[in-house]
């Protein structure tokens, strides 16, 4: 019947596999599938498990539309060969899994680090931190920091976090900082 018809579009063995590979429940996976296939043109919905959704469509999701790191999130979770940041259903599930309440804070901090590493070079340097602060404070004129304020803030972040004093924050330094901020994991989430 029409009820629950969409559930049958994920083959049962895949559904089991998705549950094992993610922190998501069966219900969450089915909901994710529904939301993902709704981003596709009608004629492609049948094959939602095997097509890619362009980044521009992913960004229409209200959960991402409001996220200051929306572009980085698409970039980090996309497995697109061409670098267009499009997402497959599995990419989409990976993203939701990392942002779910059930993901460990280790996993969350690992991905947060990758999202904040704007130039993808494996460390957070001053330039990454500047972009990070700009994302968080908003791009509006009135909310932007002066260069002196920015300098001071980055100085403070490095003081707090750069344990080996090399001028950048590496993953383990970042995870150390995050481990001391109890609200990090709860703020780092997307729930459909």
């Amino acid at each position: 019947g029409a009820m629950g018809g969409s559930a049958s579009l994920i083959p049962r063995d895949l559904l089991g596999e998705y549950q094992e590979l993610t922190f998501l429940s069966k219900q969450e996976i089915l909901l994710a599938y529904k939301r993902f296939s709704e981003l596709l043109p009608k004629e492609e919905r049948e094959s939602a498990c095997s097509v890619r959704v362009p980044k521009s469509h992913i960004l229409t999701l209200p959960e991402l539309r409001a996220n200051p790191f929306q572009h980085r999130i698409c970039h980090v979770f996309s497995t697109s060969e061409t670098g267009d940041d499009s997402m497959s259903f599995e990419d989409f599930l990976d993203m939701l899994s990392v942002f779910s309440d059930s993901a460990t804070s280790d996993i969350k901090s690992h991905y947060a680090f990758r999202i904040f590493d704007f130039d993808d070079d494996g460390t957070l340097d001053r330039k990454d931190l500047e972009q990070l602060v700009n994302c968080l404070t908003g791009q509006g004129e009135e909310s932007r920091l002066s260069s002196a304020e920015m300098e001071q803030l980055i100085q403070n972040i490095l003081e707090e976090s750069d344990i080996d004093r090399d001028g950048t924050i590496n993953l383990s330094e970042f995870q150390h900082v995050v481990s001391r901020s109890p609200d990090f994991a709860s703020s780092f989430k997307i729930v459909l």
Side-chain angles (χ1 to χ4, degrees):
M3 291 302 290
S6 63
S8 58
L9 292 176
I10 301 185
R12 179 158 293 160
D13 54 339
L14 259 187
L15 192 55
E17 203 176 306
Y18 291 153
Q19 277 174 268
E20 273 171 44
L21 294 174
T22 65
F23 294 101
L24 304 170
S25 67
K26 185 175 162 183
Q27 276 63 39
E28 289 170 317
I29 293 167
L30 293 174
L31 177 61
Y33 185 84
K34 181 177 179 295
R35 294 292 298 277
F36 185 80
S37 53
E38 284 165 0
L39 296 172
L40 291 166
K42 289 213 170 16
E43 62 279 4
E44 285 184 21
R45 286 183 187 170
E46 290 294 301
S47 50
C49 273
S50 56
V51 296
R52 303 192 70 85
V53 167
K55 172 180 169 179
S56 57
H57 292 201
I58 298 284
L59 293 179
T60 62
L61 288 164
E63 296 77 13
L64 277 177
R65 221 179 13 227
N67 192 304
F69 303 102
Q70 44 173 249
H71 297 287
R72 290 294 306 158
I73 291 170
C74 286
H75 179 72
V76 165
F77 288 97
S78 170
T79 54
S80 167
E81 307 270 298
T82 63
D84 63 1
D85 294 351
S86 62
M87 279 198 189
S88 66
F89 179 56
E90 296 190 1
D91 295 345
F92 188 63
L93 276 187
D94 277 340
M95 173 184 82
L96 291 176
S97 176
V98 167
F99 282 101
S100 76
D101 277 333
S102 321
T104 64
S105 52
D106 249 17
I107 297 246
K108 284 182 185 286
S109 55
H110 174 82
Y111 278 94
F113 182 83
R114 288 185 55 195
I115 289 165
F116 300 160
D117 178 15
F118 287 87
D119 56 9
D120 296 315
D121 68 350
T123 64
L124 305 185
D125 55 23
R126 301 181 83 93
K127 224 166 179 43
D128 291 322
L129 294 173
E130 199 166 311
Q131 283 186 264
L132 174 56
V133 171
N134 280 334
C135 276
L136 290 171
T137 53
Q139 298 296 329
E141 284 307 305
E142 65 291 336
S143 56
R144 285 202 87 129
L145 299 181
S146 70
S147 50
E149 290 169 324
M150 177 67 86
E151 186 49 43
Q152 186 57 57
L153 184 55
I154 287 176
Q155 213 42 57
N156 295 351
I157 296 173
L158 288 170
E159 285 288 303
E160 282 286 296
S161 324
D162 178 20
I163 297 163
D164 62 11
R165 294 282 170 252
D166 68 348
T168 65
I169 301 170
N170 61 33
L171 177 59
S172 62
E173 289 169 336
F174 181 75
Q175 290 188 311
H176 179 68
V177 174
V178 167
S179 69
R180 293 180 314 186
S181 58
D183 53 345
F184 172 77
S186 58
S187 64
F188 197 72
K189 71 175 181 191
I190 293 176
V191 179
L192 287 183

